[in-house]
Amino acid sequence: MLDYLSQHLDKIINTAIVLIVFFVFQLIIGIIIRAIGKSRKILVSRAKIVARYFSVSLFLITLLIIAFIFGIDVDDLVVVFSSIFAIIGLALFASWSILSNVTSGIILFFSFPYKIGDKIKIHDKEFEIEAIIEDIRSYQIHLRKDNGDLVTYPNNMLLQKAVTLIEKDALDK
């Protein structure tokens, strides 16, 4: 055991450094996302979801770096990642709208000009929806119409349609 540790001490130290950097970056990204959420008055739960997406991405990059530290051959990684991406690609092709809505949810977190409580009108070819934003989730936005009906509208469609602000903080009234 001591012989193994002495032979691979540099790899273990480099891995420890990468893990420390990972945790520091994760902490910094979490603080930045929470600060953006707080400055734009976005729910804490939404900020946590977006922070989780970034943490998972950062974790996968960290695993890749650790694999290189331990001398994993690039050709072996290409085979593994191409197999994984082929499987994920088939699964996401079957449910592409889920990935599209999650991506749209992240975009909405950073650039959507409206927040929970605002009354908006969504202009679609066939219909118009006038409702108050009740919740913005990973996949869809929850809208409450004046008659009390709950409408769930996909995030990706929200980015594709024209949206008009009717009233700010309509829930406060």
Side-chain angles (χ1 to χ4, degrees):
M1 179 72 173
L2 291 176
D3 188 40
Y4 178 81
L5 289 176
S6 64
Q7 285 180 343
H8 299 289
L9 185 61
D10 59 334
K11 293 177 185 177
I12 294 170
I13 291 172
N14 288 339
T15 301
I17 291 169
V18 167
L19 288 175
I20 290 169
V21 169
F22 163 73
F23 287 118
V24 168
F25 275 158
Q26 186 177 6
L27 180 68
I28 291 171
I29 288 172
I31 290 170
I32 290 171
I33 290 174
R34 280 192 293 277
I36 290 171
K38 188 179 277 188
S39 70
R40 295 188 181 177
K41 298 179 183 170
I42 296 173
L43 287 179
V44 175
S45 60
R46 283 189 58 213
K48 285 182 181 179
I49 290 171
V50 172
R52 189 173 303 135
Y53 293 151
F54 279 96
S55 292
V56 168
S57 301
L58 187 61
F59 177 73
L60 293 175
I61 292 169
T62 301
L63 284 180
L64 185 64
I65 292 170
I66 290 173
F68 283 125
I69 288 173
F70 277 93
I72 302 292
D73 191 20
V74 175
D75 294 335
D76 295 338
L77 280 178
V78 168
V79 170
V80 169
F81 279 111
S82 63
S83 300
I84 289 171
F85 285 131
I87 293 169
I88 291 173
L90 287 173
L92 291 178
F93 180 74
S95 59
W96 66 271
S97 65
I98 292 174
L99 181 63
S100 174
N101 283 318
V102 169
T103 305
S104 298
I106 293 171
I107 292 169
L108 288 175
F109 177 80
F110 288 107
S111 66
F112 193 52
Y114 315 116
K115 63 181 174 114
I116 293 173
D118 291 348
K119 188 170 190 175
I120 61 170
K121 182 187 279 188
I122 300 172
H123 307 276
D124 202 341
K125 272 191 224 177
E126 292 111 26
F127 57 87
E128 287 187 345
I129 299 173
E130 187 173 316
I132 296 173
I133 300 173
E134 193 172 88
D135 196 7
I136 303 172
R137 299 197 173 188
S138 295
Y139 304 108
Q140 75 271 350
I141 186 169
H142 288 189
L143 303 168
R144 184 70 63 181
K145 294 175 80 175
D146 290 337
N147 64 2
D149 289 347
L150 177 68
V151 178
T152 58
Y153 201 76
N155 286 339
N156 61 350
M157 295 300 293
L158 194 64
L159 290 177
Q160 297 173 16
K161 305 296 178 189
V163 179
T164 305
L165 177 66
I166 295 174
E167 185 178 345
K168 271 236 176 278
D169 294 325
L171 286 177
D172 290 343
K173 293 185 177 188

